[in-house]
């Protein structure tokens, strides 16, 4: 049996990840693809606990390196318990954020060295990469205005505008460096326009997979 495909969804705050995740699921279901929906940080009981540690607002300043290592600790557990075993059965993984978020938030936002992040990536992923990454892109002012309507903000959502500008730049930089894997979606339009773009990307991708397996 061939290995399943690994699809990730990325973007800064308020780009519409949750709504569009449901839309991606509906497309996979239409194509009768058996998949597991999961997220990062999180996706296993231990990794979800690490997520809580990461997102909690606290008086203590969280050291950037501690944040980075927690993210990768959760990821190591998620890979071992969920992602690798699922892909091995031939099922697909649809993951709400993955390591591109680390390059964007810890690399771009916090300013940590991308080489160091790359070393942890190699250690934990051992070469495993998403097959397709959908990046929802939106000017950060618009995204933050949307996110602020949600009520209580977590430790990342409480960051300043400048942090998210750097996060977005880092995402776009990664997308430009790997156009084969990334599909950048302009998330500033109506929901219909955004989903139209996502549908095109997915149909194109699914077609390429069918051709490859013929
Ligand atoms: P969410 O808003 O998509 O649920 O993600 C939770 C937060 O975690 C989000 O603000 C981005 C942050 N995050 C990182 O800082 N680094 C990472 O590697 C991941 C996966 C998420």
């Amino acid at each position: 049996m061939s290995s399943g495909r690994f699809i990730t969804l990325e973007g800064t705050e308020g780009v519409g990840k949750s709504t569009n995740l449901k839309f991606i699921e509906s497309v996979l279901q239409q194509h009768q693809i058996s998949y597991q929906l999961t997220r990062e940080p999180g996706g296993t009981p231990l990794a979800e606990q690490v997520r809580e540690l990461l997102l909690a607002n606290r008086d203590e300043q969280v050291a950037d390196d501690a944040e980075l290592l927690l993210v990768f600790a959760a990821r190591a557990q998620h890979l071992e318990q969920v992602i690798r075993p699922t892909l091995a059965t031939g099922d697909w993984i649809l993951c709400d954020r993955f390591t591109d978020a680390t390059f964007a938030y810890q690399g771009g936002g916090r300013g940590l060295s991308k080489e160091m992040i790359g070393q942890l990536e190699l250690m934990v992923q051992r070469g495993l990469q998403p097959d397709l990454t959908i990046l929802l892109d939106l000017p950060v002012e618009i995204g933050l205005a949307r996110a602020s309507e949600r009520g209580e903000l977590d430790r990342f959502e409480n960051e300043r505008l400048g942090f998210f500008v750097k996060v977005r730049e880092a995402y776009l930089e990664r997308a430009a460096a790997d156009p084969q894997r990334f599909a950048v979606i302009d998330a500033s339009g109506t929901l219909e326009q955004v989903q139209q773009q996502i549908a095109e990307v997915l149909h194109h991708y699914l077609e390429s997979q069918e051709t490859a397996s013929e």
Side-chain angles (χ1 to χ4, degrees):
M1 190 190 304
S2 70
S3 163
R5 299 290 179 271
F6 183 12
I7 301 180
T8 58
L9 182 65
E10 300 280 358
T12 49
E13 314 304 310
V15 290
K17 249 177 344 95
S18 309
T19 314
N20 288 303
L21 206 54
K22 290 202 187 84
F23 178 71
I24 297 172
E25 285 196 87
S26 73
V27 175
L28 294 181
Q29 286 161 11
Q30 272 164 26
H31 285 80
Q32 284 156 0
I33 288 168
S34 179
Y35 68 93
Q36 183 154 340
L37 174 65
T38 186
R39 70 173 179 181
E40 289 219 342
T44 86
L46 172 60
E48 288 290 331
Q49 285 187 333
V50 177
R51 177 190 177 89
E52 280 175 31
L53 293 175
L54 277 162
L55 299 194
N57 288 301
R58 56 183 81 242
D59 295 333
E60 179 184 0
Q61 178 72 31
V62 178
D64 292 346
D65 286 349
E67 182 176 288
L68 176 68
L69 292 169
L70 283 170
V71 163
F72 270 106
R75 181 161 300 137
Q77 184 70 7
H78 190 207
L79 278 160
E80 184 80 12
Q81 295 294 314
V82 176
I83 298 179
R84 289 187 198 281
T86 301
L87 293 175
T89 68
D91 282 0
W92 292 30
I93 287 281
L94 174 57
C95 194
D96 182 351
R97 297 195 188 280
F98 194 61
T99 307
D100 295 304
T102 314
F103 281 98
Y105 282 77
Q106 283 65 49
R110 303 279 187 232
L112 290 178
S113 133
K114 309 242 164 104
E115 286 70 35
M116 184 169 70
I117 299 172
Q119 282 170 13
L120 291 168
E121 177 187 37
L122 196 62
M123 174 190 149
V124 167
Q125 289 166 227
R126 301 190 296 275
L128 180 71
Q129 289 289 347
D131 297 295
L132 171 67
T133 297
I134 298 176
L135 172 62
L136 299 175
D137 180 58
L138 188 67
V140 290
E141 292 86 350
I142 304 175
L144 287 179
R146 286 189 194 166
S148 67
E149 287 164 13
R150 284 187 210 140
E152 215 172 299
L153 302 180
D154 66 36
R155 196 170 60 84
F156 287 101
E157 290 165 337
N158 272 317
E159 284 293 338
R160 292 169 192 279
L161 183 78
F163 175 85
F164 295 107
V165 169
K166 288 186 272 176
V167 170
R168 182 187 184 205
E169 277 169 8
Y171 266 134
L172 290 174
E173 218 172 84
R174 280 187 72 73
D178 195 354
Q180 282 281 89
R181 171 164 71 87
F182 273 90
V184 182
I185 304 290
D186 173 4
S188 65
T190 63
L191 187 58
E192 210 173 35
Q193 288 166 336
V194 173
Q195 295 189 338
Q196 174 70 27
Q197 294 175 68
I198 295 176
E200 270 169 34
V201 166
L202 284 175
H203 289 142
H204 181 75
Y205 182 73
L206 293 169
E207 245 170 48
S208 73
Q209 296 309 298
E210 277 160 23
T211 319
S213 66
E214 272 168 16

